[in-house]
Amino acid sequence: MASLSVRIDLGPKRIGPGKIELLEKIEALGSISAAGRAMDMSYRRAWELVEEMNGLFTGPVVTPRTGGKQGGGTQLTPLGHSVVAAYRTIERDATEATRQQVSALEAELSAVSSAAE
């Protein structure tokens, strides 16, 4: 099934589905290391992506969470939540706007595949 993938260039850096998924997993799991493991990504790579995103915007998107019963971890900042929400809105709107064209391309690919068999 055909699908649309959105990547947004922001100067020399970009955000896309992988970075947004990482932010969502950090929010859900409460740590960079757990989010990285859930995505089959090393802690170092996950940390590098978080640092890149923290430097990309006007403020950090992920910050440390203070200790307590659960022993700390990380969490999304309000800006981090805004980035994820804006990306998901752009993704949803782009998918809707291109639905017919993507379906037409998919139909053409199916027709070519069937003709080749």
Side-chain angles (χ1 to χ4, degrees):
M1 179 171 190
S3 65
L4 181 69
S5 177
V6 176
R7 297 188 196 288
I8 303 168
D9 292 330
L10 301 166
K13 304 290 183 181
R14 69 177 54 168
I15 60 171
K19 289 178 183 170
I20 295 301
E21 181 184 356
L22 179 61
L23 292 178
E24 291 171 332
K25 292 213 181 298
I26 289 169
E27 181 63 17
L29 301 173
S31 81
I32 295 171
S33 60
R37 280 192 305 273
M39 295 177 69
D40 289 327
M41 180 186 302
S42 72
Y43 173 76
R44 180 170 188 240
R45 180 67 179 142
W47 179 254
E48 288 171 348
L49 292 173
V50 166
E51 284 296 301
E52 180 182 315
M53 288 185 284
N54 276 345
L56 185 60
F57 297 98
T58 57
V61 295
V62 175
T63 58
R65 187 178 57 217
T66 56
K69 285 185 178 182
Q70 296 179 3
T74 53
Q75 64 188 5
L76 293 190
T77 64
L79 176 59
H81 286 284
S82 292
V83 167
V84 170
Y87 177 86
R88 290 301 184 199
T89 298
I90 291 166
E91 181 181 57
R92 184 185 65 245
D93 291 351
T95 298
E96 183 58 35
T98 60
R99 185 177 315 279
Q100 288 180 338
Q101 293 85 354
V102 170
S103 292
L105 286 173
E106 186 175 37
E108 288 300 322
L109 290 174
S110 295
V112 170
S113 296
S114 296
E117 292 177 3

